[in-house]
Amino acid sequence: MMRCTERIIHSHLKSIGTAGYAVLLGIAMLAILLSACRADSAEDVTRTLPHMTLVAPVHAEEQGDAIRLGAEAAAKEYGYQLDYISLESSDDAAEQLAAAMVALDKGTAAILIDPASEEVLQELSQHAQQLDTPVIVLNDERMLPGVMAAIAINNNDAGRKAGQQLAELLDQDGVVAILRSDRADPDLIAREQGAKSVLGEMSGITLVDGAACGKREDACWQAAKQLLDQGGIDGLLALDIQASLGAAQEVVRRKEQGETKIVTFGSDLKQLQMLQDGIIHTLVVQNGFSTGYLGIEQAVKVLDGWRYDKPVVLETKVIDADNMFWMDNQKVLFPFVK
């Protein structure tokens, strides 16, 4: 910047003379110093803001992005610096716990996490309690010692909604299978229990043994293929994003889109495209932006002395091709679009 300023000064030197050159040089140097002071001041403000940490959910895709955006908006509003710890697509519960422990040991004011397993929550909350650091859990109702607040959805109720939607698509008459994850996620377990409780009440619905798959879409496609190869399945309930994408891929391969009904959870962009194309029929969606925003808001209140004795439970929405473009649903599906 100094060399650029000097070149400009020299280009005008002949017209302003030596005295003018000195004045101009002094003004330029003053502008540079003021600019540097402004930059230093901005950095000082960032350094002096108290920090909170949000640890990314495991395998959350767009839902994780929505949570982060909500948390960032709230942190800015309440005067906190948000440290977001991202995870690789291959990371699982162990990596999430390790990242959270590092954040605690660095001295964050509060930590927000959607725990990948019960073990993650137990170990993290115990360590946080020793450090007197509040833990705010997201998408989880378990308020263990050390967990000071929780933002949750009723996964059992969400599962019931999904089961009801699938039954209605089949006119309450058909064979249904569940494509689940191979990890012991309490949220997914609650979804499955809720769906089974609804489907089991309907005399015209036959619930057969399903299949499990991991976090890779191709593994879920193979699981869906083996399931549908058995024949006679009219509807699939996929408990997470990867299961739904694998099921949809196999239905398209068989050229049975529209015939085999698929109901699932999430708001991944691929899911939304398949919903619009009639491959996936219904999504049960949570408001990730609100989850992140309220998580920060509760953390701020906890640090101010508030105490919560029960979680805040958010509602889920049922989205299909007919209502996905309604204004209220657009805010849930695309919170990052203003």
Side-chain angles (χ1 to χ4, degrees), residues 70-82 293 296:
E72 286 176 345
K76 183 177 181 180
E77 180 176 337
Y78 285 101
Y80 280 81
Q81 177 71 24
L82 183 69
Y293 187 96
I296 292 291

PDB file of all heavy atoms in Angstrom, residues 70-82 293 296:
ATOM      1  N   GLY A  70     -28.416 -20.548  12.039  1.00  0.00           N
ATOM      2  CA  GLY A  70     -29.221 -20.032  13.138  1.00  0.00           C
ATOM      3  C   GLY A  70     -28.366 -19.631  14.327  1.00  0.00           C
ATOM      4  O   GLY A  70     -28.592 -18.588  14.956  1.00  0.00           O
ATOM      5  N   ALA A  71     -27.378 -20.462  14.638  1.00  0.00           N
ATOM      6  CA  ALA A  71     -26.487 -20.164  15.759  1.00  0.00           C
ATOM      7  C   ALA A  71     -25.662 -18.915  15.488  1.00  0.00           C
ATOM      8  O   ALA A  71     -25.453 -18.080  16.389  1.00  0.00           O
ATOM      9  CB  ALA A  71     -25.579 -21.364  16.028  1.00  0.00           C
ATOM     10  N   GLU A  72     -25.182 -18.757  14.268  1.00  0.00           N
ATOM     11  CA  GLU A  72     -24.389 -17.568  13.917  1.00  0.00           C
ATOM     12  C   GLU A  72     -25.223 -16.304  14.044  1.00  0.00           C
ATOM     13  O   GLU A  72     -24.746 -15.275  14.540  1.00  0.00           O
ATOM     14  CB  GLU A  72     -23.851 -17.713  12.492  1.00  0.00           C
ATOM     15  CG  GLU A  72     -22.715 -18.713  12.356  1.00  0.00           C
ATOM     16  CD  GLU A  72     -22.269 -18.910  10.922  1.00  0.00           C
ATOM     17  OE1 GLU A  72     -23.010 -18.500   9.998  1.00  0.00           O
ATOM     18  OE2 GLU A  72     -21.180 -19.480  10.720  1.00  0.00           O
ATOM     19  N   ALA A  73     -26.476 -16.369  13.602  1.00  0.00           N
ATOM     20  CA  ALA A  73     -27.353 -15.194  13.686  1.00  0.00           C
ATOM     21  C   ALA A  73     -27.588 -14.797  15.139  1.00  0.00           C
ATOM     22  O   ALA A  73     -27.529 -13.613  15.495  1.00  0.00           O
ATOM     23  CB  ALA A  73     -28.680 -15.483  12.993  1.00  0.00           C
ATOM     24  N   ALA A  74     -27.833 -15.783  15.989  1.00  0.00           N
ATOM     25  CA  ALA A  74     -28.083 -15.491  17.401  1.00  0.00           C
ATOM     26  C   ALA A  74     -26.820 -14.990  18.099  1.00  0.00           C
ATOM     27  O   ALA A  74     -26.872 -14.067  18.925  1.00  0.00           O
ATOM     28  CB  ALA A  74     -28.624 -16.725  18.103  1.00  0.00           C
ATOM     29  N   ALA A  75     -25.674 -15.602  17.793  1.00  0.00           N
ATOM     30  CA  ALA A  75     -24.419 -15.185  18.409  1.00  0.00           C
ATOM     31  C   ALA A  75     -24.118 -13.726  18.079  1.00  0.00           C
ATOM     32  O   ALA A  75     -23.708 -12.944  18.954  1.00  0.00           O
ATOM     33  CB  ALA A  75     -23.277 -16.092  17.941  1.00  0.00           C
ATOM     34  N   LYS A  76     -24.341 -13.346  16.851  1.00  0.00           N
ATOM     35  CA  LYS A  76     -24.116 -11.952  16.445  1.00  0.00           C
ATOM     36  C   LYS A  76     -25.055 -11.022  17.197  1.00  0.00           C
ATOM     37  O   LYS A  76     -24.657  -9.945  17.655  1.00  0.00           O
ATOM     38  CB  LYS A  76     -24.317 -11.821  14.934  1.00  0.00           C
ATOM     39  CG  LYS A  76     -24.039 -10.427  14.398  1.00  0.00           C
ATOM     40  CD  LYS A  76     -24.185 -10.395  12.887  1.00  0.00           C
ATOM     41  CE  LYS A  76     -23.886  -9.004  12.344  1.00  0.00           C
ATOM     42  NZ  LYS A  76     -24.037  -8.962  10.864  1.00  0.00           N
ATOM     43  N   GLU A  77     -26.300 -11.421  17.330  1.00  0.00           N
ATOM     44  CA  GLU A  77     -27.296 -10.581  18.005  1.00  0.00           C
ATOM     45  C   GLU A  77     -26.969 -10.397  19.482  1.00  0.00           C
ATOM     46  O   GLU A  77     -27.147  -9.311  20.044  1.00  0.00           O
ATOM     47  CB  GLU A  77     -28.677 -11.205  17.856  1.00  0.00           C
ATOM     48  CG  GLU A  77     -29.792 -10.417  18.519  1.00  0.00           C
ATOM     49  CD  GLU A  77     -31.160 -11.010  18.263  1.00  0.00           C
ATOM     50  OE1 GLU A  77     -31.324 -11.737  17.258  1.00  0.00           O
ATOM     51  OE2 GLU A  77     -32.070 -10.742  19.072  1.00  0.00           O
ATOM     52  N   TYR A  78     -26.474 -11.467  20.123  1.00  0.00           N
ATOM     53  CA  TYR A  78     -26.219 -11.410  21.564  1.00  0.00           C
ATOM     54  C   TYR A  78     -24.790 -11.016  21.917  1.00  0.00           C
ATOM     55  O   TYR A  78     -24.426 -10.990  23.094  1.00  0.00           O
ATOM     56  CB  TYR A  78     -26.562 -12.757  22.200  1.00  0.00           C
ATOM     57  CG  TYR A  78     -28.050 -12.987  22.329  1.00  0.00           C
ATOM     58  CD1 TYR A  78     -28.722 -13.803  21.419  1.00  0.00           C
ATOM     59  CD2 TYR A  78     -28.782 -12.389  23.345  1.00  0.00           C
ATOM     60  CE1 TYR A  78     -30.095 -14.026  21.534  1.00  0.00           C
ATOM     61  CE2 TYR A  78     -30.146 -12.602  23.466  1.00  0.00           C
ATOM     62  CZ  TYR A  78     -30.796 -13.413  22.558  1.00  0.00           C
ATOM     63  OH  TYR A  78     -32.149 -13.624  22.674  1.00  0.00           O
ATOM     64  N   GLY A  79     -23.961 -10.739  20.914  1.00  0.00           N
ATOM     65  CA  GLY A  79     -22.616 -10.255  21.184  1.00  0.00           C
ATOM     66  C   GLY A  79     -21.614 -11.325  21.554  1.00  0.00           C
ATOM     67  O   GLY A  79     -20.739 -11.110  22.402  1.00  0.00           O
ATOM     68  N   TYR A  80     -21.722 -12.482  20.893  1.00  0.00           N
ATOM     69  CA  TYR A  80     -20.771 -13.571  21.120  1.00  0.00           C
ATOM     70  C   TYR A  80     -20.063 -13.927  19.819  1.00  0.00           C
ATOM     71  O   TYR A  80     -20.607 -13.728  18.731  1.00  0.00           O
ATOM     72  CB  TYR A  80     -21.481 -14.821  21.664  1.00  0.00           C
ATOM     73  CG  TYR A  80     -21.764 -14.759  23.137  1.00  0.00           C
ATOM     74  CD1 TYR A  80     -22.870 -14.061  23.621  1.00  0.00           C
ATOM     75  CD2 TYR A  80     -20.918 -15.379  24.054  1.00  0.00           C
ATOM     76  CE1 TYR A  80     -23.128 -13.989  24.992  1.00  0.00           C
ATOM     77  CE2 TYR A  80     -21.166 -15.314  25.420  1.00  0.00           C
ATOM     78  CZ  TYR A  80     -22.271 -14.614  25.879  1.00  0.00           C
ATOM     79  OH  TYR A  80     -22.525 -14.543  27.226  1.00  0.00           O
ATOM     80  N   GLN A  81     -18.879 -14.457  19.948  1.00  0.00           N
ATOM     81  CA  GLN A  81     -18.152 -15.000  18.813  1.00  0.00           C
ATOM     82  C   GLN A  81     -18.415 -16.494  18.760  1.00  0.00           C
ATOM     83  O   GLN A  81     -18.145 -17.210  19.732  1.00  0.00           O
ATOM     84  CB  GLN A  81     -16.649 -14.744  18.968  1.00  0.00           C
ATOM     85  CG  GLN A  81     -15.783 -15.330  17.868  1.00  0.00           C
ATOM     86  CD  GLN A  81     -15.934 -14.593  16.545  1.00  0.00           C
ATOM     87  OE1 GLN A  81     -16.322 -13.426  16.524  1.00  0.00           O
ATOM     88  NE2 GLN A  81     -15.635 -15.264  15.456  1.00  0.00           N
ATOM     89  N   LEU A  82     -18.964 -16.986  17.636  1.00  0.00           N
ATOM     90  CA  LEU A  82     -19.255 -18.410  17.514  1.00  0.00           C
ATOM     91  C   LEU A  82     -18.091 -19.137  16.868  1.00  0.00           C
ATOM     92  O   LEU A  82     -17.669 -18.802  15.761  1.00  0.00           O
ATOM     93  CB  LEU A  82     -20.520 -18.633  16.686  1.00  0.00           C
ATOM     94  CG  LEU A  82     -20.938 -20.107  16.559  1.00  0.00           C
ATOM     95  CD1 LEU A  82     -21.415 -20.643  17.909  1.00  0.00           C
ATOM     96  CD2 LEU A  82     -22.021 -20.282  15.505  1.00  0.00           C
ATOM     97  N   TYR A 293     -30.533 -21.183  16.524  1.00  0.00           N
ATOM     98  CA  TYR A 293     -30.783 -19.860  17.107  1.00  0.00           C
ATOM     99  C   TYR A 293     -31.179 -19.985  18.580  1.00  0.00           C
ATOM    100  O   TYR A 293     -30.622 -19.313  19.450  1.00  0.00           O
ATOM    101  CB  TYR A 293     -31.889 -19.143  16.329  1.00  0.00           C
ATOM    102  CG  TYR A 293     -32.084 -17.708  16.753  1.00  0.00           C
ATOM    103  CD1 TYR A 293     -31.463 -16.670  16.054  1.00  0.00           C
ATOM    104  CD2 TYR A 293     -32.870 -17.375  17.855  1.00  0.00           C
ATOM    105  CE1 TYR A 293     -31.621 -15.354  16.451  1.00  0.00           C
ATOM    106  CE2 TYR A 293     -33.030 -16.074  18.263  1.00  0.00           C
ATOM    107  CZ  TYR A 293     -32.406 -15.066  17.547  1.00  0.00           C
ATOM    108  OH  TYR A 293     -32.561 -13.754  17.954  1.00  0.00           O
ATOM    109  N   ILE A 296     -28.272 -20.986  21.033  1.00  0.00           N
ATOM    110  CA  ILE A 296     -27.452 -19.861  21.484  1.00  0.00           C
ATOM    111  C   ILE A 296     -28.211 -19.002  22.474  1.00  0.00           C
ATOM    112  O   ILE A 296     -27.674 -18.573  23.513  1.00  0.00           O
ATOM    113  CB  ILE A 296     -26.985 -19.015  20.283  1.00  0.00           C
ATOM    114  CG1 ILE A 296     -25.996 -19.795  19.417  1.00  0.00           C
ATOM    115  CG2 ILE A 296     -26.357 -17.700  20.756  1.00  0.00           C
ATOM    116  CD1 ILE A 296     -24.651 -20.047  20.058  1.00  0.00           C
TER     117      ILE A 296
END
